[in-house]
Amino acid sequence: MITSEVEKLNQYVTGAVIRELREKSKMTQLQLADKLGVSDKTISKWETAKGYPDITLLEPIAEAFSVSVAELISGNAVYNSNISANMLKSKFYVCPICGNVIHSMGEAVIHCHGVLMTAAEPEKTDENHKIFIERIEDEYYVRIEHDMKKNHYISFIAAQSVDRLQMVKLYPEENAETRFKLSGVKRILFYCNRDGFFYVEPVKGIDDKESGYDDSWERKELEKAAKILFG
């Protein structure tokens, strides 16, 4: 059992990945071989798919390229140029099996239930995912017009600023609504378990206290009118 798992793991560390990382590191086969205590012919065999590195070499290989073992195995090297972690460059990963939501301040290699996840790419909201944002004192009240059934619901809503992230997890049979502190919010994001990731940028009319719809009754009347017009 252990042997078969090791063989399976070794197959993920392909020669193409090793060659790509070696060339990005501007390292010759001989230089890499010296770091790992093997011959340059061994490195050549790996890169031409005539052999795979032993599992005991995974960590030394990762260290030689300054990547994690997870990155090495997945074949996805992560290079974060923005080490100051601007929150507007945040990544969100949602597991398709359990719905687990993982937030990262930059590129990452994320696995859940054995699945290598890719970052969800948000797109602008559409007619099937109407979102209403109202400024109430120092908060945004956010409501999404969406059914919250067990098989179709909004999983989470988040508010992105340059230096912070506010996120609220939602569950079926609850209302798709929440409040966020203003805190320089640039984008509101939300995730539908069926249709994917969406975003909206709070409009100036909401951000600007003088021209904003701060009268909740007026806002509700406008929402009713919109519902009649657009269904």
Side-chain angles (χ1 to χ4, degrees):
M1 179 66 178
I2 294 176
T3 302
S4 63
E5 287 299 319
V6 169
E7 289 174 351
K8 184 179 178 182
L9 187 61
N10 281 340
Q11 289 173 7
Y12 290 132
V13 188
T14 66
V17 170
I18 293 174
R19 182 175 64 251
E20 180 183 356
L21 290 171
R22 178 179 62 78
E23 290 175 349
K24 282 185 177 179
S25 300
K26 296 181 179 179
M27 198 182 302
T28 66
Q29 289 184 342
L30 182 58
Q31 289 172 327
L32 177 59
D34 288 341
K35 285 179 176 289
L36 302 177
V38 299
S39 69
D40 56 340
K41 289 184 178 180
T42 297
I43 303 297
S44 178
K45 285 183 179 179
W46 295 346
E47 293 187 358
T48 55
K50 294 179 181 178
Y52 295 101
D54 185 79
I55 192 170
T56 59
L57 290 172
L58 292 184
E59 190 169 347
I61 292 172
E63 289 179 356
F65 297 134
S66 298
V67 299
S68 68
V69 173
E71 291 172 77
L72 180 67
I73 293 173
S74 70
N76 295 314
V78 174
Y79 298 96
N80 275 330
S81 58
N82 180 30
I83 58 175
S84 60
N86 183 331
M87 283 294 185
L88 294 178
K89 296 184 179 180
S90 290
K91 302 292 182 181
F92 295 83
Y93 301 81
V94 183
C95 179
I97 297 175
C98 69
N100 187 18
V101 180
I102 300 170
H103 164 251
S104 171
M105 291 186 291
E107 297 289 345
V109 177
I110 306 291
H111 287 81
C112 190
H113 285 79
V115 176
L116 174 62
M117 296 190 290
T118 56
E121 292 293 336
E123 56 186 77
K124 285 190 176 181
T125 55
D126 56 27
E127 284 297 307
N128 295 319
H129 299 84
K130 296 176 183 176
I131 182 169
F132 299 94
I133 305 172
E134 181 180 352
R135 178 172 174 173
I136 302 176
E137 296 182 349
D138 64 342
E139 292 183 321
Y140 280 139
Y141 167 65
V142 179
R143 180 174 66 82
I144 301 170
E145 193 172 283
H146 195 287
D147 288 336
M148 293 292 283
K149 300 177 181 178
K150 289 184 178 180
N151 61 349
H152 192 189
Y153 59 92
I154 300 300
S155 176
F156 69 88
I157 307 176
Q160 265 185 325
S161 306
V162 172
D163 61 349
R164 69 194 63 196
L165 176 77
Q166 304 171 69
M167 188 165 80
V168 175
K169 184 73 176 75
L170 302 177
Y171 299 93
E173 299 179 0
E174 291 184 347
N175 293 327
E177 61 183 7
T178 190
R179 290 173 180 259
F180 295 113
K181 289 292 184 181
L182 295 181
S183 303
V185 170
K186 300 295 184 183
R187 292 205 302 180
I188 303 291
L189 308 103
F190 62 94
Y191 188 88
C192 171
N193 74 315
R194 281 192 178 182
D195 301 318
F197 206 17
F198 298 92
Y199 78 90
V200 66
E201 297 172 352
V203 297
K204 185 172 178 58
I206 295 174
D207 287 330
D208 185 348
K209 189 71 176 176
E210 293 182 1
S211 60
Y213 291 119
D214 297 309
D215 187 321
S216 59
W217 179 85
E218 182 180 356
R219 170 53 66 93
K220 288 178 181 178
E221 290 301 307
L222 286 172
E223 288 179 10
K224 287 180 183 178
K227 197 167 186 179
I228 292 172
L229 288 172
F230 301 108

